[in-house]
Amino acid sequence: MPLLEVRNLKAYYLTSRGPVKAVDNVSFDLERGESLGLAGESGCGKSTLGFSLINLLPPPGKIVDGSIKIDGIEVVGKPDEELRREVRWKKISMIFQGAMNALNPVLTIGDQLSEPLIYHQGVSKVEATERVKEHLELVGLDPDIYKRYPHELSGGMKQRAVIAMALLEHPDVIIADEPTTALDVIVQAQILNLLKSLKKKLNLSIIFISHDLAVISEIADRLAIMYAGEIVEIGPSENLYLNPRHPYTQKLLGAIPRLKKKVERLEFIPGAPPNLIHPPSGCRFHPRCPYRFEPCDKEEPPFIEVEPGHYVRCHLFAKR
Amino acid sequence: MRWEDFKASLSDFWFEFRREKSGIVGMVILIFFIVLAVFAPYIAPADASAHWRDVPYWQNLPRAVPPAWTNVFSTKKKPPHLILQPASTDVRQMGQITENTFVFEYDFTYDDYPTDLMLLISANITDPAKPPTLVLTATRPDGTTVDLVSTKLAGSGVGEQRLLISSLKDFKARLVGFAREYENPEVASTLEYQLIDPMRILFSEAKEGIMTAKGAAPLKGKYVFTAKVYTFNPADEISEPKLVMAGKVYGLLGTDTLRRDLFSGLVWGTRVSLAVGIVSSVLTTLIGVIYGVASAYFGGWTDEAMQRVAEIVASIPVLPLLIIIFEFYKPTIWPVIILMTLFSWPGTNKVVRSMGFQLKEMQYVEAARALGAGGRWIILRHMMPQILPYVFASIALGVPGYVLLEAGLSFLGLGDVSRVTWGQILHDAQGSAAALNGMWWWVVPPGLAIAMLGLSFALLGSALNKILSPKMRTL
Amino acid sequence: MAEVVVKVENLKKYFPLRRSVVEFLRGSPPRSVKAVDDISFEIHRGEVFALAGESGCGKTTTGRLIVKLLEPTSGKIYFNGTDVTTLSREEEKEYRKKAQIIFQDPYGSLNPRFRVYNVLEEPLILQGIGETKSEREELIIRALESVRMVPPEEFLGRFPHQLSGGQRQRVAIARALILNPEFIVADEPVSMLDLSIRAEILNLMEDVKKRFGLTYLYITHDLSTARYFSDRIAIMYLGKIVELADSDTLVENPLHPYTKALIAAVPEPEPSMKDVIKEIPIKGEVPSAANVPPGCRFHPRCPYRFEPCDKEEPPFIEVEPGHWVACHLYSKR
């Protein structure tokens, strides 16, 4: 049984102008110790998916349908009180985007990290301090950081502290939402190294959300590409990076400038991602797709397994 | 700043505003007051405000009576204030003497007596040595006739004369004489003359108790008053007689001890209060905005100096200072407004300055500078349109403060005495210990009006804040 | 050698720090952030010159100094041979026509209350170009066409929030182009755009460069786009240029230890690095520019540091033609 099993998940933002279908019919599995990269452009629903998994969708967001099973526990529809006691932070936790800049400036790192342990877990103060220091060391920080305030730390150190915070209650799955986006490239590499080693050391499952396919390639065992609320392609990283099937994935990879390879002219995808209140009919990518043909604007493409474990949502691969 | 910017921010703003219920409530209250203020000359007597301090102007009204609608809540109907026009007029010439007869009819259906009886009359007397004589008689519903008074009118000049008949000695003496016929003589002889109310005798059943109101109920029915005015010179003219039955209730909001109609005062006071509130708030906000934007735009030492000045001004205690100034110098409304604004702008300045600093760092401002834009262009085209929504909110939130400040000054007797304001009505009420004497109609309405006007702007302002604060974050 | 458009000489920009009351009373000397500390370089006509480095290295400040959004503390900036640090008001206005800037944030660089028409009319009004309204409209339409916003009429009446990120950035480019400049500072023009349109904007900038004979100063933290887009790259660290070479040489044969580390840290979209803990040769993070280390400012993090590094500032030397580096490892002694 996979550690995380997501089936037909739909998470909408119920706005006055109609539901924004930010996550629409998303299914995937995640095994223990596996890392899944979740890539897509801004507004594709990747962060919404992350928030849905930990059941912390900001209003007016709501999971309207589907199932999320974490370690066999069904999360959708579970009362918040139980979720907090059994699942959130214990089975699954999240490194929020920009969390390092949201640390409370008037509390020491130690206080901020130990507070949830003391208040939610009933851990004694001494024990909490002990555990926080342990975790600070785990993420490569000096345990003395415990007494420091956020402004005394560099960006990389703050991000490490945030990672330590997500690990405090020993979750099986950790969702990292753009954890390196605000960081400089050297610090980014350091944080990626940290996540890699944590994954190995703790047998951690990671969902790594990013817009940057180059960063994701450093860590993801499998890669899912999201477009307009849907997963359009998912499969082992090697297959996706080296042999992408979906036109969107192909174009996206073709748009990345390489440092170590001279590219004469980069590709780009004309147009802009669609409005998620009224997504295009049929395949959501068809208005921007260079290969579109007759069924694309009418029928929704099926999710097709093109090789073991590699699925594509595209009519080009549908047997007819 | 172009008109288009102004229009755009206004329409954005209205779109958001419509959804704020509290704001709409505030708006409705405010519109009510604005209507009162604008139409004051039509709602209340047009010259009431100008004559607020003119005691004789109000003499035709009853003294310190509650509003007429209090009758609805009381089983004892009190007579309202009535001004009777003659039902019939007759002139007879008898040689040199002219007899003018005026007949007034009064339907008395109340459980209490009018407070006073007055005769208003225009007389044009040619010879002051021969003043006209007035003889007033009353025929009561029971058929009895009482001679009320026989007196001389004032003997000189032209113009309206006002005779407070019910306070004439003659009037009282005659009515007491009339009452003695019915009253228990024992009671009559022990009664202190001072305490006898002639008006009560006039309007009571003719039986025992007429002098004390014990046992004798008010005599309801039609009273006919006949006023005969004799003039002794053919050239003398008598016209426009009116008989005033000073009631025990008056108008919408009653009267004060100077017989002033409080409704008129309140309506006219709306004008001043609104004007003072809005003008002061607009002026303060304008000064604050211009000062703040300039301070932010120039930055550096200029900003430093301008802010220290603003802080010094802000630290001056306004109310005590105004009290001292106005103690020596009786102000009119404009100095009050100007002095209030002169000390209140630093707050707006601080907020606008911080917004200005944010705006100044916006990339589109930098882009404009890179294109060669100068200070004027950047302030007017790029900064002001963004600050404008805040300006609206700031004006709205500022108004109640000034209404209260003006009321406070007036209450302390330091306001503009040439106009009526809510604060002055309260000041006068305080002076006459209105609250202690149960004259609630003198205290509650102006107090309530101040509170409601404040509330309306507070509601508006809070709605504005709700609308604008998320936007401010996106600045 | 190609004609020099911009020449920067010993340029410095220090931002003074406020002293606290205690510092003031103690009489401690005023401190400052040395955002740009004595840099010199030349930009040739028709080239894309990239200034790359991590946040806080002074690259953005340099760009703003060149287009005169900031006044330098000292040093000279020559534009076509004229010193632009001492211009009269009139000359400055004239200079702004020739040197323009494109900003990073397509959301922040357009006034939310301006329609596209107003955005593009602003430079014309400010510079007094176009006598009549129809003349200006003609120019505006041409500018929109040149950034491939077609049909232009469709966009004239739109507000920025009615445009996509890429369209906004194109309007920003059009605003810079409308004055017919020779030189444009592009300050991270694509870093806030989605991947799929980044290339579109870079390609567009490349095309208008060819069409209008422009010269760019491309400021970025992203070495990959710098290599793709620019002819030469200068790496900045704490207010100094540490290495300067043509793009290919710099990426393929970096000399400075810092450049080497930067290049090693850039991820490639290839799954081969998965699970490999990358060797990053340098430790820690960039210190604050208010507290610059003595000697070579990179020495506390440098794995190769030796005796002179913490004392002497390394000279900027040309190791091979066109390849400059500021490192004691390469200085002849």
Side-chain angles (χ1 to χ4, degrees):
Chain A
M1 190 183 60
L3 179 62
L4 176 69
E5 197 181 273
V6 179
R7 288 290 172 269
N8 305 323
L9 186 69
K10 292 184 180 178
Y12 294 175
Y13 291 98
L14 306 172
T15 69
S16 54
R17 276 173 286 171
V20 177
K21 296 160 186 151
V23 172
D24 212 6
N25 224 351
V26 163
S27 306
F28 67 88
D29 293 335
L30 183 69
E31 301 290 341
R32 193 177 292 277
E34 185 188 38
S35 55
L36 172 72
L38 200 55
E41 298 179 87
S42 53
C44 72
K46 54 191 194 298
S47 290
T48 306
L49 179 54
F51 280 116
S52 308
L53 295 177
I54 193 167
N55 226 304
L56 280 178
L57 260 184
K62 200 174 177 340
I63 296 176
V64 292
D65 197 17
S67 126
I68 301 169
K69 277 191 185 145
I70 300 167
D71 210 3
I73 305 172
E74 175 60 58
V75 171
V76 177
K78 205 175 178 69
D80 207 58
E81 184 53 40
E82 282 175 44
L83 269 178
R84 201 180 316 147
R85 220 171 34 232
E86 297 165 21
V87 182
R88 200 180 296 148
W89 308 127
K90 299 199 174 59
K91 301 257 179 227
I92 185 165
S93 71
M94 187 157 173
I95 301 164
F96 297 100
Q97 181 171 7
M100 57 183 254
N101 297 321
L103 289 169
N104 188 335
V106 296
L107 288 181
T108 62
I109 295 294
D111 286 343
Q112 297 189 58
L113 266 63
S114 56
E115 211 168 60
L117 286 178
I118 296 168
Y119 292 107
H120 292 166
Q121 293 252 58
V123 175
S124 75
K125 197 157 181 197
V126 181
E127 203 185 318
T129 309
E130 199 51 43
R131 183 138 34 123
V132 168
K133 285 192 170 166
E134 229 167 71
H135 280 83
L136 287 174
E137 237 175 328
L138 182 70
V139 298
L141 289 172
D142 185 336
D144 287 344
I145 296 276
Y146 191 92
K147 293 193 214 81
R148 302 243 171 244
Y149 289 91
H151 72 266
E152 297 175 286
L153 308 185
S154 68
M157 290 157 98
K158 279 191 272 189
Q159 189 62 355
R160 281 170 196 265
V162 168
I163 293 171
M165 194 190 259
L167 292 174
L168 273 178
E169 302 190 30
H170 309 298
D172 301 314
V173 186
I174 186 163
I175 303 163
D177 189 1
E178 304 270 11
T180 64
T181 303
L183 302 171
D184 277 317
V185 54
I186 290 175
V187 184
Q188 168 176 288
Q190 291 163 348
I191 296 292
L192 284 172
N193 279 345
L194 170 68
L195 286 172
K196 285 179 201 173
S197 65
L198 285 174
K199 180 188 160 205
K200 214 175 275 173
K201 206 188 291 178
L202 306 174
N203 198 24
L204 207 58
S205 302
I206 298 177
I207 295 177
F208 192 98
I209 301 173
S210 178
H211 67 284
D212 188 338
L213 280 163
V215 170
I216 288 187
S217 77
E218 294 253 342
I219 192 161
D221 299 320
R222 284 198 302 144
L223 174 63
I225 306 286
M226 279 189 86
Y227 183 77
E230 295 177 327
I231 290 182
V232 295
E233 187 165 6
I234 184 169
S237 287
E238 285 81 3
N239 298 12
L240 259 91
Y241 279 104
L242 304 178
N243 190 11
R245 301 301 182 91
H246 197 286
Y248 179 64
T249 316
Q250 291 172 2
K251 290 279 168 190
L252 214 50
L253 285 168
I256 304 174
R258 305 292 185 94
L259 181 62
K260 282 143 205 168
K261 247 192 240 164
K262 187 85 181 161
V263 185
E264 270 321 307
R265 191 127 175 125
L266 285 175
E267 288 187 67
F268 60 87
I269 311 172
N275 162 342
L276 292 179
I277 297 179
H278 304 292
S281 61
C283 170
R284 293 184 178 186
F285 186 58
H286 85 261
R288 298 174 79 188
C289 182
Y291 309 113
R292 71 164 169 272
F293 60 115
E294 157 261 309
C296 292
D297 59 346
K298 291 178 198 76
E299 287 167 47
E300 253 188 64
F303 214 33
I304 304 151
E305 190 166 17
V306 286
E307 52 195 318
H310 184 172
Y311 295 81
V312 179
R313 193 185 292 278
C314 180
H315 283 299
L316 287 172
F317 303 94
K319 287 174 205 81
R320 17 188 78 239
Chain B
M1 190 163 41
R2 297 154 305 160
W3 169 239
E4 194 190 337
D5 291 328
F6 193 78
K7 238 171 38 186
S9 45
L10 212 61
S11 80
D12 281 3
F13 170 74
W14 175 242
F15 176 79
E16 299 277 339
F17 184 78
R18 275 185 315 190
R19 295 191 292 199
E20 291 294 332
K21 285 213 180 56
S22 65
I24 295 290
V25 172
M27 186 78 111
V28 168
I29 303 175
L30 178 62
I31 288 173
F32 169 75
F33 280 117
I34 290 175
V35 167
L36 274 192
V38 171
F39 294 103
Y42 306 100
I43 296 168
D47 52 354
S49 177
H51 289 98
W52 191 250
R53 306 268 160 194
D54 174 10
V55 174
Y57 175 86
W58 301 99
Q59 287 312 299
N60 303 342
L61 300 189
R63 186 174 169 276
V65 298
W69 47 263
T70 50
N71 267 342
V72 177
F73 305 103
S74 151
T75 50
K76 237 178 114 186
K77 292 278 167 278
K78 291 180 171 173
H81 190 73
L82 279 183
I83 298 172
L84 303 174
Q85 300 290 340
S88 64
T89 312
D90 189 30
V91 184
R92 256 192 329 148
Q93 200 69 39
M94 302 175 292
Q96 286 289 54
I97 300 171
T98 313
E99 182 197 59
N100 300 273
T101 310
F102 306 105
V103 179
F104 300 91
E105 289 173 1
Y106 178 46
D107 278 317
F108 178 73
T109 57
Y110 313 100
D111 305 312
D112 202 348
Y113 316 97
T115 45
D116 279 308
L117 185 63
M118 284 176 246
L119 184 74
L120 309 177
I121 200 157
S122 271
N124 185 358
I125 314 298
T126 44
D127 182 1
K130 292 179 183 169
T133 302
L134 164 77
V135 176
L136 186 66
T137 55
T139 310
R140 303 177 1 131
D142 58 5
T144 51
T145 298
V146 196
D147 289 330
L148 294 177
V149 78
S150 170
T151 182
K152 283 192 164 45
L153 295 181
S156 70
V158 185
E160 188 171 78
Q161 298 204 7
R162 185 179 156 282
L163 251 103
L164 186 52
I165 292 165
S166 51
S167 68
L168 295 177
K169 279 192 182 119
D170 190 27
F171 175 79
K172 189 168 181 178
R174 289 174 189 229
L175 276 165
V176 170
F178 166 74
R180 278 191 200 283
E181 293 177 27
Y182 306 97
E183 186 54 286
N184 181 348
E186 243 172 77
V187 175
S189 58
T190 54
L191 249 159
E192 196 157 343
Y193 189 78
Q194 215 67 58
L195 296 178
I196 298 168
D197 178 0
M199 289 298 280
R200 178 188 296 148
I201 295 170
L202 180 56
F203 290 99
S204 287
E205 287 175 349
K207 63 178 190 187
E208 205 168 300
I210 187 170
M211 288 169 94
T212 56
K214 280 176 195 142
L219 178 64
K220 296 179 185 179
K222 182 188 271 184
Y223 286 72
V224 179
F225 293 91
T226 309
K228 287 181 191 290
V229 183
Y230 300 95
T231 55
F232 306 102
N233 193 327
D236 287 357
E237 276 173 41
I238 295 294
S239 60
E240 291 174 43
K242 283 179 265 250
L243 195 66
V244 179
M245 293 290 168
K248 284 223 163 113
V249 291
Y250 181 79
L252 273 173
L253 294 176
T255 60
D256 64 12
T257 49
L258 291 174
R259 299 170 186 263
R260 291 183 292 207
D261 175 23
L262 288 167
F263 176 72
S264 303
L266 200 76
V267 169
W268 280 99
T270 311
R271 266 198 174 188
V272 179
S273 294
L274 262 184
V276 168
I278 292 173
V279 172
S280 311
S281 191
V282 167
L283 280 180
T284 307
T285 307
L286 280 185
I287 299 175
V289 166
I290 292 167
Y291 196 92
V293 168
S295 183
Y297 182 79
F298 295 117
W301 279 107
T302 318
D303 170 59
E304 205 61 47
M306 285 177 82
Q307 289 313 307
R308 294 301 88 74
V309 170
E311 278 150 22
I312 289 167
V313 173
S315 63
I316 297 171
V318 184
L319 194 60
L321 189 78
L322 290 182
I323 290 173
I324 290 167
I325 292 175
F326 294 152
E327 199 58 56
F328 291 106
Y329 161 70
K330 281 296 167 199
T332 58
I333 204 77
W334 285 105
V336 173
I337 290 175
I338 287 165
L339 281 169
M340 285 198 299
T341 46
L342 229 48
F343 293 109
S344 321
W345 54 267
T348 316
N349 147 68
K350 284 281 175 198
V351 179
V352 169
R353 171 177 168 268
S354 70
M355 289 172 76
F357 268 118
Q358 255 182 57
L359 288 168
K360 201 172 82 162
E361 301 300 320
M362 294 306 292
Q363 282 190 357
Y364 57 80
V365 171
E366 282 208 293
R369 281 178 53 213
L371 294 165
R376 223 172 72 103
W377 177 274
I378 285 167
I379 289 178
L380 290 180
R381 295 291 298 271
H382 290 286
M383 291 166 79
M384 286 309 282
Q386 310 279 340
I387 292 173
L388 215 55
Y390 166 76
V391 171
F392 297 146
S394 167
I395 287 174
L397 283 170
V399 171
Y402 298 105
V403 172
L404 284 175
L405 188 54
E406 189 281 330
L409 287 172
S410 296
F411 179 76
L412 295 171
L414 302 170
D416 178 357
V417 291
S418 67
R419 288 153 219 257
V420 52
T421 73
W422 296 341
Q424 282 168 24
I425 296 176
L426 282 177
H427 171 68
D428 295 341
Q430 173 74 7
S432 304
L436 286 178
N437 293 327
M439 289 189 269
W440 52 267
W441 60 89
W442 197 357
V443 182
V444 175
L448 207 61
I450 292 169
M452 291 300 280
L453 186 62
L455 179 71
S456 80
F457 277 103
L459 286 174
L460 274 178
S462 82
L464 296 186
N465 254 358
K466 253 189 252 168
I467 296 164
L468 300 174
S469 52
K471 286 216 173 140
M472 288 188 176
R473 264 183 264 127
T474 67
L475 275 182
Chain C
M1 195 94 192
E3 186 194 344
V4 173
V5 179
V6 174
K7 183 177 178 195
V8 169
E9 238 177 44
N10 306 103
L11 189 65
K12 288 185 186 176
K13 179 66 184 176
Y14 295 174
F15 293 103
L17 283 175
R18 257 199 148 141
R19 276 184 295 182
S20 70
V21 177
V22 177
E23 281 171 323
F24 183 78
L25 290 177
R26 275 195 196 145
S28 357
R31 290 186 304 146
S32 55
V33 173
K34 296 175 176 167
V36 174
D37 200 5
D38 199 359
I39 62 171
S40 305
F41 59 87
E42 289 176 354
I43 304 175
H44 305 138
R45 186 166 304 282
E47 80 167 337
V48 180
F49 184 88
L51 264 185
E54 296 180 277
S55 48
C57 71
K59 55 188 192 298
T60 296
T61 307
T62 308
R64 280 171 164 62
L65 285 168
I66 293 176
V67 294
K68 290 186 70 69
L69 284 173
L70 291 172
E71 288 298 319
T73 306
S74 71
K76 296 278 180 227
I77 301 164
Y78 296 96
F79 187 80
N80 288 337
T82 319
D83 181 6
V84 296
T85 53
T86 55
L87 289 181
S88 71
R89 225 166 226 240
E90 276 312 300
E91 289 167 328
E92 186 185 306
K93 201 169 165 186
E94 207 51 38
Y95 173 60
R96 295 203 181 283
K97 268 194 234 178
K98 297 193 190 116
Q100 269 302 311
I101 181 165
I102 300 168
F103 293 95
Q104 171 178 22
D105 180 3
Y107 295 82
S109 70
L110 305 179
N111 188 326
R113 292 181 189 278
F114 275 33
R115 294 173 195 275
V116 169
Y117 181 87
N118 304 124
V119 171
L120 297 178
E121 196 189 23
E122 184 175 32
L124 299 179
I125 295 173
L126 287 170
Q127 291 290 347
I129 298 170
E131 298 278 302
T132 60
K133 202 175 157 69
S134 64
E135 222 172 291
R136 289 199 295 266
E137 201 167 310
E138 179 61 38
L139 286 169
I140 289 167
I141 284 177
R142 254 195 280 148
L144 281 174
E145 274 166 353
S146 68
V147 294
R148 292 194 214 113
M149 303 264 292
V150 281
E153 290 79 9
E154 194 185 307
F155 297 100
L156 287 178
R158 296 215 194 153
F159 285 105
H161 70 262
Q162 294 166 314
L163 301 174
S164 70
Q167 288 171 333
R168 279 180 234 211
Q169 201 59 309
R170 280 190 275 169
V171 172
I173 294 171
R175 173 174 59 191
L177 288 177
I178 205 164
L179 293 176
N180 240 328
E182 294 172 35
F183 171 70
I184 291 180
V185 172
D187 186 1
E188 307 252 19
V190 295
S191 69
M192 287 181 75
L193 299 175
D194 267 320
L195 186 58
S196 70
I197 45 180
R198 247 179 230 191
E200 186 180 3
I201 297 296
L202 286 178
N203 291 351
L204 172 74
M205 287 177 61
E206 178 77 40
D207 294 347
V208 295
K209 182 192 125 188
K210 281 186 192 137
R211 230 174 99 192
F212 300 108
L214 297 172
T215 305
Y216 287 126
L217 172 62
Y218 178 64
I219 296 170
T220 186
H221 69 278
D222 179 0
L223 278 175
S224 310
T225 60
R227 179 174 196 193
Y228 172 70
F229 187 57
S230 53
D231 303 306
R232 289 195 296 151
I233 300 176
I235 303 288
M236 282 189 81
Y237 183 79
L238 275 183
K240 283 246 185 232
I241 292 180
V242 295
E243 188 163 5
L244 166 62
D246 70 82
S247 308
D248 293 345
T249 314
L250 189 108
V251 172
E252 277 152 23
N253 182 25
L255 295 179
H256 198 284
Y258 177 65
T259 316
K260 286 180 182 168
L262 269 185
I263 288 170
V266 173
E268 287 281 303
E270 268 162 23
S272 57
M273 287 306 288
K274 203 186 69 181
D275 298 333
V276 179
I277 305 279
K278 256 192 204 170
E279 191 63 44
I280 301 161
I282 63 173
K283 307 177 290 266
E285 288 173 48
V286 189
S288 149
N291 242 329
V292 175
C296 169
R297 40 196 75 188
F298 184 60
H299 85 263
R301 302 173 71 194
C302 185
Y304 309 109
R305 71 161 173 274
F306 60 113
E307 159 260 309
C309 292
D310 59 349
K311 292 181 198 74
E312 286 167 45
E313 254 190 65
F316 199 45
I317 47 170
E318 193 168 18
V319 176
E320 51 193 19
H323 194 164
W324 297 72
V325 67
C327 177
H328 284 299
L329 288 172
Y330 303 95
S331 41
K332 291 171 203 88
R333 18 186 80 243

